[in-house]
Amino acid sequence: MRYTGSCHCGKVAFEVEGELKEVIDCNCSICQRKGALLWFVPRGAVKMLTPDANLKTYTFGPARIKHRFCPECGIHPLGEGSMPDGTPMSAINVRCLDGVDLAALPVRHFDGRSM
């Protein structure tokens, strides 16, 4: 299925293709503060509809994940990193997708704080 998503002001917009079966609620220091519910997909499943220059990047610690956000409204619609095997992936903030019934999705809790 194809989903569309964006930040609040629309300066960052994207499409993502895949089957959304569950979301991940991570308790690491940044995810907990953002309140993000994440869906991990191969990076090739994401198509940016706005220029990459519309996004800013925040990294911390070992900088394995690029937390991408809109500098205008501050919303974090996605992140980028790699799976343990090196495969490029994107972490989609499902709260930024259009028409998704969040209450219908199973939530898997991930202890990112311990990593």
Side-chain angles (χ1 to χ4, degrees):
M1 181 165 191
R2 179 168 294 172
Y3 297 90
T4 58
S6 67
C7 64
H8 188 258
C9 72
K11 190 173 181 178
V12 174
F14 60 95
E15 291 179 342
V16 59
E17 184 82 32
E19 190 173 347
L20 180 53
K21 294 181 179 181
E22 71 173 4
V23 293
I24 295 173
D25 182 13
C26 177
N27 69 352
C28 78
S29 60
I30 193 165
C31 289
Q32 182 173 328
R33 284 170 173 80
K34 288 190 297 188
L37 291 174
L38 302 173
W39 174 32
F40 290 85
V41 299
R43 192 158 320 143
V46 178
K47 177 183 176 188
M48 296 305 298
L49 302 176
T50 52
D52 192 58
N54 287 11
L55 285 157
K56 292 291 185 189
T57 302
Y58 175 72
T59 60
F60 66 97
R64 290 189 196 127
I65 298 175
K66 295 178 181 176
H67 299 270
R68 308 298 304 272
F69 67 97
C70 174
E72 187 72 27
C73 66
I75 298 298
H76 292 243
L78 56 100
E80 297 172 340
S82 298
M83 299 299 282
D85 68 359
T87 303
M89 64 85 185
S90 291
I92 305 299
N93 182 354
V94 176
R95 294 183 184 274
C96 293
L97 296 178
D98 300 320
V100 173
D101 180 6
L102 294 174
L105 292 170
V107 177
R108 182 165 50 103
H109 297 278
F110 180 76
D111 187 11
R113 185 167 295 207
S114 296
M115 302 209 61

